[in-house]
Amino acid sequence: MSSLSEKDRQSFDRDGYLIFDPGLDNQLLDEIRAFHDDIWSESPRLKPAVIDHGRTQDAWQDCDAIRQVATHPHILDALKTLYGRRALPFQTLNFPKGTQQPTHSDSIHFNCEPFGLMCGVWLALEDIGPDQGPLIYYPGSHQDAFIDFDQVGVPADPKNYRHYEQHIRDVVEQRGYVAELGLIPRGHAIIWSANLLHGGSAQTDRSRSRHSQVTHYYLEGAKPWRPMFSAEERHYFAPRWIPATRPGAPQSLLQRLEHLSRAVPHRVRRLLR
């Protein structure tokens, strides 16, 4: 059962984000930090498939603690409380430092029908202070209409993303959004709505780390599509869902039925429950 209250749900609906403590085991956080220390060392033992100097994508395939966080029951229960639907994780991003990423909404990267059935969960793997380049977000901005490339005035194409970023900067200034920083302790997390404007703030102390993990989720019933690749028609895609158990590990009957239920019609899914 989720520890979130009705007040938390109302706050999330109003602001588009919620800070909470998912109650994760410190050992999980330590294992992810050890993984970070290895892959970003001068002589890493592990080499994830997608990694650069700033992040590694879908490292749940290489570090099971990352997968366990993405599929943790406390996080899934919190999302069920906020959305009233089952949450399905499909991407992890792990960071050793602040990204200083320009402001955006996740909806420009991962959209869906019906709109809004997608969210992100940002987990602090260490205490986060203002000089580490913490997450920056604009409360209430999720309530505005989704800004697509059409509103920017350019074709949908990754090459035009810089025009989208400039448009968002203009929107933030014109609408007078007030920024807040994600200054949270280790083990706490921020849930944000797909359409919330957010990014990475300036890292004033470049010597500091900002170890963190983001997991992206679709909510049950979403039909995913990607605006960035939808110049002529919507580019629908099938996410690779992050499994609830370690790949290759034995599954219980309930877990096998739960996995099967994702691929069958709603009416049959109710029978499996």
Side-chain angles (χ1 to χ4, degrees), residues 75-266:
I75 295 176
L76 299 183
D77 288 347
L79 296 178
K80 179 70 176 291
T81 297
L82 296 178
Y83 285 93
R85 298 171 183 248
R86 187 163 56 115
L88 307 173
F90 69 93
Q91 184 191 68
T92 59
L93 299 171
N94 286 71
F95 305 92
K97 287 183 174 289
T99 64
Q100 302 188 100
Q101 183 179 10
T103 302
H104 63 285
S105 87
D106 284 350
S107 296
I108 197 67
H109 299 285
F110 300 112
N111 213 311
C112 63
E113 301 169 1
F115 179 72
L117 295 183
M118 182 267 167
C119 65
V121 177
W122 188 92
L123 173 70
L125 298 172
E126 61 181 319
D127 292 342
I128 305 298
D131 58 349
Q132 293 167 268
L135 188 71
I136 186 172
Y137 43 88
Y138 297 87
S141 59
H142 68 299
Q143 298 182 23
D144 286 340
F146 165 58
I147 298 175
D148 204 346
F149 285 93
D150 289 341
Q151 286 73 47
V152 178
V154 295
D157 190 302
K159 293 184 296 186
N160 289 327
Y161 189 67
R162 68 185 188 280
H163 299 297
Y164 167 82
E165 292 177 332
Q166 181 58 55
H167 184 82
I168 294 298
R169 284 192 287 269
D170 294 341
V171 165
V172 169
E173 181 177 353
Q174 292 165 6
R175 299 181 183 175
Y177 290 139
V178 178
E180 291 187 9
L181 297 177
L183 307 179
I184 62 176
R186 167 182 153 106
H188 282 57
I190 302 175
I191 302 172
W192 66 72
S193 167
N195 206 40
L196 182 77
L197 295 181
H198 66 281
S201 65
Q203 186 169 353
T204 56
D205 185 349
R206 301 294 292 174
S207 69
R208 299 287 304 280
S209 61
R210 195 210 67 178
H211 290 280
S212 57
Q213 174 173 324
V214 171
T215 306
H216 289 131
Y217 300 81
Y218 276 112
L219 285 303
E220 190 172 38
K223 183 178 181 180
W225 66 283
R226 302 200 67 183
M228 194 93 70
F229 304 98
S230 300
E232 297 182 1
E233 60 182 19
R234 288 192 173 182
H235 176 77
Y236 298 100
F237 75 106
R240 181 184 181 185
W241 307 116
I242 300 174
T245 57
R246 178 173 51 83
Q251 289 185 309
S252 67
L253 175 61
L254 180 60
Q255 289 169 331
R256 290 198 296 271
L257 290 175
E258 185 73 7
H259 176 75
L260 176 63
S261 73
R262 297 182 181 183
V264 298
H266 177 71

Side-chain angles (χ1 to χ4, degrees), residues 27-48 50-60 62-67 69 92-99 122-126 128 132 186 208-215:
Q27 183 177 346
L28 275 181
L29 308 183
D30 291 341
E31 288 180 12
I32 298 175
R33 280 295 306 271
F35 176 77
H36 282 197
D37 292 343
D38 174 68
I39 64 173
W40 278 294
S41 67
E42 294 184 358
S43 302
R45 296 179 297 105
L46 299 171
K47 294 184 179 180
V50 183
I51 184 173
D52 57 29
H53 68 282
R55 70 179 190 179
T56 178
Q57 178 179 320
D58 293 326
W60 61 267
D62 306 287
C63 174
D64 196 59
I66 292 175
R67 182 198 60 78
V69 165
T92 59
L93 299 171
N94 286 71
F95 305 92
K97 287 183 174 289
T99 64
W122 188 92
L123 173 70
L125 298 172
E126 61 181 319
I128 305 298
Q132 293 167 268
R186 167 182 153 106
R208 299 287 304 280
S209 61
R210 195 210 67 178
H211 290 280
S212 57
Q213 174 173 324
V214 171
T215 306

